[in-house]
Amino acid sequence: MIWMQDVAYTDYIYWQETNSFINGVASSSQNIELFFDKKVDRDSSLVIYDGKQVDLSHDHIYIDVQKEGVTQLVYILKDVDGYALEQGEKSILLDTTIPDVVVKVKNHNIMDVLPLENKETIHVEILEENLKSVEVYLDDEKMDCEGKEFDIDVTNQNHTLRILCRDVAGNEVERKIDILPIVFPECELKDTLYTKENKMDLKFDGICEMPFYLKVYCGQDLCYSLDLENRDAITVDFTSNGTYTFVLEHKEYPQIKKVLEGSIVYSNITPIITLQPSSKVSNEDVFVGLNWYVPYIKKAYVDVELDGIKDRHPFNEEICLKAVENKDLFYKVFAYAMDAFGNEVSDMVIVRIDKRAPSTSLYLNNEQVLDKKIIKKLPEFEFLIDDNRANMRIEYYINGVLMDMDIEKVFNRMIKDDVLKVKTYTYDALSNFEIKEYEFMFSPDKKIEMVSKSEQILRSDEVATFERIWSVNEKNELVLEKNTKVLTSKSKPKIHYVRKKNKVQIFSKDQIESCFVNGKKIAIQKDVLGHDFVEISLKKSKTTIEVKAKNDSGVTTIKKSEIKKPILKKSFLQQLWIWIQRVFKL
């Protein structure tokens, strides 16, 4: 709509100004009427608008302003005589756009509402080339702001911000922003909390009256969101092991968020710790390795105990158990760890480092041999070893010559004044060894006899035992006085069965140690010749017999048998009578 205002005159050309066209500035597309002084001869004058000549032959002359921006009106005015009256140009600005006011907080565009927790700086930028004026009101108080860009500090105590902009074309815009105070609920979780429970309640200092979501993160991944509005506590589920953090986020304005201070670490992993010595029994230094998996470790150590004295080591230290010369040591290594969840785990290992050689002693006639001895008869040597797991090898020498035979055979070759050297080699399972030597002078008493025994296995089941008695004659020579041979049977004892109708007789020339009939022990009797025998009656259809016998050589044998009782065939009348009893239940 165009309405009349005062007419703006030039010397010879002018236009009529309206509400939307003032001083050559238009705020909307329209036709502008041109007026000329009466001295101007239209036929000889020239008017060009935006590069096009304007037809001046009409009674009313209009130019059509349609092009956004600045256009030029060029004119050459003459009188009827052809003389120039005026020439020049006028600029016409068409601006139909409303000024654009951009409001940002930390690079976030603010539309109608600014959620504010405490205080903030608002950055205002006006996108308008032909800006004429700016008015800023904070809670109806006018602020001093100039230029197309400026900052305004606001707090949560303010309520509204109004920005009014006008351009030279008369276009104006007003941005009104409501300030919404934000109050985040305070969570009781302030520090890092460790738990092995798969859920936990998060408590707040009061009812959350604002629309907030509680965002639950595990590491960098968002797990889920919970609605916290109108609640003072909420249950959080832990779906996987890790560190959980929490973010409060406004439902309507997601850019408004707050990260809670504390975090929760959840783990259902059982810690593991294992001690691995290079050897549990050794005669050298032993290194103890430690394999462990204890996430979120809180306390850990390794104790090495020796003779009641403990030495504590850190987890990352290599443990070396030292061997000590001529010492048999028992190390106790104990490893302990506790994680932040209260899980405790430990392991212990005992390591023996034995670098002590086994100790041996030789006794002759119950007397320990400490120095050179004189023997007059076959010696009865007794070797004692302090380690029952050690092994001993014995060598016999006569006058320095090794005799690869036992002591009896060695002694049979000795004559008066011979020197018997006994050399022992003792070693344990760890290869610790001891070597000892003993010397004996053979000086026999002529009146003393010497006895030697030996065995010979014959081709039959017998063993011949020989007992020889030696003496020394006047020439200091060994003389065989007596040679006794005893035969011993090595065969297994024999058990004989004799059955007479419903009775069984069991006998043996050897000793019957036990007899079981159907698992019941039966008494053993002796016959007139002194032989053991057993007689039993067959009362059941099947009888199990187990007999154990032993001969003079100590050889035993066990004989197991099953004997069935004979079935007597019934006559036809007996079978008929049994059938009648069953049918008529007699």
Side-chain angles (χ1 to χ4, degrees):
M1 180 180 291
I2 300 175
W3 55 283
M4 299 298 295
Q5 287 186 345
D6 293 337
V7 176
Y9 290 96
T10 63
D11 289 341
Y12 297 101
I13 185 173
Y14 56 92
W15 50 58
Q16 184 178 350
E17 295 189 350
T18 65
N19 186 41
S20 57
F21 182 74
I22 302 174
N23 295 329
V25 179
S27 60
S28 61
S29 301
Q30 54 187 292
N31 290 327
I32 305 299
E33 185 174 2
L34 297 179
F35 297 92
F36 297 92
D37 187 86
K38 61 182 179 178
K39 295 181 180 181
V40 174
D41 180 23
R42 296 187 182 184
D43 293 336
S44 59
S45 296
L46 178 64
V47 177
I48 298 174
Y49 173 68
D50 194 22
K52 296 181 180 180
Q53 185 175 350
V54 179
D55 187 2
L56 304 180
S57 61
H58 301 287
D59 293 335
H60 296 277
I61 309 301
Y62 296 92
I63 57 174
D64 188 8
V65 179
Q66 296 289 337
K67 189 174 181 180
E68 192 80 16
V70 178
T71 53
Q72 299 295 329
L73 178 68
V74 180
Y75 54 89
I76 299 175
L77 302 180
K78 297 180 179 181
D79 58 12
V80 292
D81 297 326
Y83 293 102
L85 297 175
E86 181 182 358
Q87 65 179 13
E89 61 179 330
K90 294 181 180 293
S91 297
I92 299 175
L93 172 64
L94 175 59
D95 186 0
T96 62
T97 59
I98 297 176
D100 187 11
V101 180
V102 179
V103 180
K104 290 185 178 182
V105 173
K106 295 179 180 178
N107 294 326
H108 291 288
N109 288 328
I110 305 301
M111 302 307 293
D112 300 325
V113 178
L114 172 61
L116 193 58
E117 180 183 3
N118 188 8
K119 61 182 180 179
E120 198 60 80
T121 297
I122 298 177
H123 181 72
V124 180
E125 181 179 3
I126 301 173
L127 304 179
E128 175 58 56
E129 294 182 358
N130 305 309
L131 183 63
K132 182 178 181 180
S133 64
V134 177
E135 296 179 12
V136 179
Y137 297 90
L138 182 61
D139 293 337
D140 297 329
E141 179 183 352
K142 188 173 183 180
M143 310 295 293
D144 186 13
C145 299
E146 296 181 354
K148 295 182 180 181
E149 284 191 57
F150 49 85
D151 294 330
I152 303 172
D153 294 326
V154 297
T155 68
N156 56 5
Q157 301 299 320
N158 300 121
H159 299 88
T160 58
L161 174 67
R162 292 189 304 116
I163 303 171
L164 179 62
C165 297
R166 296 184 181 88
D167 60 15
V168 295
N171 301 305
E172 67 178 18
V173 64
E174 181 182 9
R175 285 289 307 275
K176 181 180 179 182
I177 298 174
D178 294 325
I179 299 174
L180 176 64
I182 298 296
V183 179
F184 288 101
E186 287 293 328
C187 183
E188 296 181 2
L189 180 66
K190 299 297 183 182
D191 299 314
T192 300
L193 182 65
Y194 298 86
T195 182
K196 50 188 176 182
E197 304 295 332
N198 59 359
K199 59 177 59 180
M200 178 177 290
D201 289 337
L202 278 184
K203 295 182 179 180
F204 294 83
D205 60 353
I207 300 295
C208 179
E209 298 179 352
M210 302 197 73
F212 281 112
Y213 286 122
L214 180 67
K215 301 280 187 175
V216 182
Y217 291 83
C218 182
Q220 301 296 324
D221 301 327
L222 174 63
C223 297
Y224 50 86
S225 299
L226 300 173
D227 191 352
L228 192 60
E229 189 174 3
N230 298 322
R231 303 181 66 176
D232 62 351
I234 199 164
T235 301
V236 179
D237 292 326
F238 307 118
T239 56
S240 60
N241 297 323
T243 301
Y244 287 79
T245 54
F246 309 94
V247 177
L248 291 173
E249 184 177 292
H250 200 280
K251 291 182 180 180
E252 299 178 13
Y253 308 102
Q255 71 274 16
I256 302 301
K257 58 183 65 178
K258 178 182 179 182
V259 179
L260 299 187
E261 295 180 15
S263 61
I264 298 177
V265 180
Y266 166 73
S267 175
N268 59 1
I269 299 174
T270 302
I272 299 172
I273 181 172
T274 305
L275 290 169
Q276 290 186 333
S278 57
S279 176
K280 288 190 176 181
V281 180
S282 176
N283 62 347
E284 298 177 345
D285 294 350
V286 173
F287 292 90
V288 181
L290 182 64
N291 291 335
W292 59 280
Y293 180 68
V294 187
Y296 311 101
I297 191 168
K298 185 177 181 181
K299 182 180 180 182
Y301 59 83
V302 178
D303 280 344
V304 178
E305 181 178 346
L306 177 63
D307 298 332
I309 301 175
K310 291 183 179 180
D311 186 17
R312 182 156 292 185
H313 301 262
F315 250 36
N316 56 354
E317 181 178 328
E318 185 180 44
I319 306 299
C320 179
L321 308 180
K322 294 292 186 180
V324 179
E325 196 68 34
N326 205 29
K327 291 284 187 178
D328 187 4
L329 304 177
F330 287 86
Y331 289 92
K332 184 167 72 173
V333 184
F334 177 78
Y336 170 84
M338 182 178 69
D339 61 16
F341 309 95
N343 297 313
E344 295 179 298
V345 63
S346 63
D347 190 23
M348 186 184 71
V349 64
I350 296 177
V351 177
R352 180 184 182 186
I353 302 181
D354 183 5
K355 208 171 179 59
R356 180 180 63 85
S359 178
T360 63
S361 301
L362 174 58
Y363 284 81
L364 177 61
N365 300 324
N366 297 324
E367 182 182 352
Q368 186 176 1
V369 177
L370 299 175
D371 49 16
K372 192 173 183 178
K373 292 281 187 180
I374 296 176
I375 57 175
K376 297 182 179 182
K377 61 177 181 178
L378 178 65
E380 295 182 0
F381 290 147
E382 182 182 5
F383 296 91
L384 297 183
I385 310 176
D386 65 350
D387 187 353
N388 57 4
R389 294 174 297 177
N391 296 313
M392 175 183 284
R393 182 169 60 88
I394 306 172
E395 292 179 352
Y396 299 101
Y397 295 83
I398 297 179
N399 299 325
V401 179
L402 174 63
M403 309 300 291
D404 189 11
M405 55 189 69
D406 59 33
I407 184 60
E408 290 186 6
K409 295 179 181 179
V410 171
F411 186 76
N412 291 341
R413 287 165 172 74
M414 292 182 66
I415 61 175
K416 187 179 180 181
D417 297 330
D418 279 348
V419 176
L420 172 64
K421 184 171 71 173
V422 180
K423 194 172 185 179
T424 61
Y425 301 86
T426 309
Y427 57 93
D428 59 16
L430 300 175
S431 300
N432 298 311
F433 65 91
E434 175 201 63
I435 301 176
K436 278 192 174 182
E437 293 184 1
Y438 306 90
E439 285 191 356
F440 302 90
M441 175 70 74
F442 182 45
S443 180
D445 191 342
K446 295 181 181 180
K447 296 182 179 180
I448 295 179
E449 296 177 336
M450 293 158 285
V451 179
S452 65
K453 294 182 180 182
S454 63
E455 290 185 350
Q456 179 181 0
I457 300 176
L458 304 180
R459 293 185 178 180
S460 61
D461 294 333
E462 294 180 334
V463 176
T465 303
F466 299 91
E467 181 175 315
R468 302 176 182 90
I469 300 177
W470 303 79
S471 64
V472 181
N473 60 17
E474 295 179 354
K475 297 181 181 180
N476 198 24
E477 295 175 344
L478 287 174
V479 179
L480 179 62
E481 296 286 341
K482 185 179 179 180
N483 186 5
T484 305
K485 178 180 179 181
V486 180
L487 295 178
T488 305
S489 176
K490 291 294 183 178
S491 62
K492 292 184 179 180
K494 295 183 180 180
I495 303 171
H496 304 279
Y497 285 70
V498 176
R499 181 171 177 176
K500 296 178 181 180
K501 295 185 179 180
N502 290 335
K503 290 188 177 181
V504 175
Q505 193 176 67
I506 305 168
F507 64 93
S508 176
K509 292 181 180 181
D510 301 300
Q511 179 187 355
I512 298 178
E513 286 193 330
S514 62
C515 179
F516 292 88
V517 177
N518 293 330
K520 183 177 180 182
K521 191 171 185 179
I522 304 299
I524 301 170
Q525 305 177 28
K526 288 186 180 294
D527 59 13
V528 294
L529 298 177
H531 297 157
D532 294 343
F533 80 96
V534 177
E535 187 174 271
I536 60 175
S537 298
L538 302 178
K539 298 180 179 180
K540 297 184 178 181
S541 59
K542 184 173 68 173
T543 302
T544 302
I545 302 174
E546 181 179 328
V547 181
K548 182 179 180 181
K550 182 174 73 172
N551 60 16
D552 294 338
S553 301
V555 180
T556 61
T557 185
I558 298 176
K559 186 174 182 180
K560 296 182 180 180
S561 304
E562 285 189 1
I563 301 176
K564 295 184 179 180
K565 186 177 179 182
I567 301 174
L568 298 177
K569 189 175 183 181
K570 296 182 177 63
S571 65
F572 173 74
L573 292 177
Q574 289 176 327
Q575 295 179 4
L576 179 60
W577 174 244
I578 293 174
W579 181 81
I580 293 173
Q581 287 179 327
R582 289 179 180 175
V583 172
F584 295 98
K585 299 181 180 179
L586 297 179

